[in-house]
Amino acid sequence: MRKSTLIHLIIIILIAFTYIFPLYWLITTSLKSYMEIYANPPYWYPPNPSIQYYLDALYKFFGLKYLINSLIVASVNAAIATVASLLAAYAISRFQFKGRDTLFFSFVSMRMAPPAVFAVAYYYIFCVTLGMKDQLPSLIIVYLVFNIPIAIWLLLSAEENIPRDLDYAAKLEGYGPISTLFKVHVPIMRGVIVIAYILTFLFAFNEYLFASFLTSTEARTIPTGLQGMVTVAGVYWSQMAALGVISALPGIIIAVLTRRYLVTGLTMGMA
């Protein structure tokens, strides 16, 4: 084996270990008891694995309710953001109008600002003015502000790669702008559209800052639900790890189901 090949192999193994070991430790922790977690030397695998901690996380600590809330918020938000961004990217790419570049920059600049900058304003708007504290629609609306810009940027890059000759051909066939978008562009861009949906879904599913002060009990999501396992009596590590494993499943399932679109979507979006 060549020296350079060996070095590359070692680097790949180290990178893989860096990603896989935390996930392995999370899974093993979710199956260990309190005493096994604090054992010294540590157990590298659960000696007496139990799924009871998963049941506790889902029912005793209301993890199932938080999971459903997260799925609702993330799914609805990602769907709205993807469709709205698709229309916006198409309009910016294909139509000439005054302030087009300024409009695009204003969208993207919203994502450049740290989310904490908007915290006080959103709390006052949704909790004080509108009275929408602890409601799922408030999270969906807030997340749109941050998801739409990144989706527009990704979809616009893909739109620019579609030859305009296809638009002229579609026009000769009698297609209008909307028909051209959905019958010509969308089939070509479906990989990028899937990527945009996945990214916006994951952001909404994992977001903590806004969920921490816009929700309290009924609309809590997974990230804020994990916080509830840190109590004055101690930290419920096994249940927290179990809920962490459960929260990772939606993203993994979506990635597996859409894996055939991932490579084409990423390469087209970055071209």
Side-chain angles (χ1 to χ4, degrees), residues 101-111 149:
D101 295 337
T102 303
L103 179 64
F104 172 67
F105 179 77
S106 65
F107 277 129
V108 176
S109 63
M110 291 294 293
R111 198 64 181 88

Side-chain angles (χ1 to χ4, degrees), residues 63 66-75 77-78 139 143 147 197-208 211 220-224 226 243-252 254:
Y66 302 150
L67 177 62
I68 293 173
N69 287 344
S70 292
L71 290 174
I72 292 174
V73 170
S75 300
N77 176 268
L139 291 179
Y143 294 164
N147 276 339
Y197 183 89
I198 292 175
L199 290 178
T200 51
F201 178 92
L202 292 177
F203 171 83
F205 191 87
N206 295 319
E207 200 281 329
Y208 173 80
R220 266 194 167 188
T221 55
I222 286 284
T224 54
L226 288 169
L243 192 56
V245 172
I246 294 171
S247 67
L249 293 179
I252 295 174
I254 290 177

Side-chain angles (χ1 to χ4, degrees), residues 85-129:
S85 301
L86 178 63
L87 296 172
Y90 177 69
I92 294 173
S93 173
R94 289 305 193 255
F95 298 104
Q96 298 292 332
F97 54 89
K98 186 176 181 180
R100 187 186 67 162
D101 295 337
T102 303
L103 179 64
F104 172 67
F105 179 77
S106 65
F107 277 129
V108 176
S109 63
M110 291 294 293
R111 198 64 181 88
M112 295 177 183
V117 172
F118 304 94
V120 175
Y122 284 146
Y123 178 83
Y124 185 82
I125 292 172
F126 289 98
C127 299
V128 179
T129 304

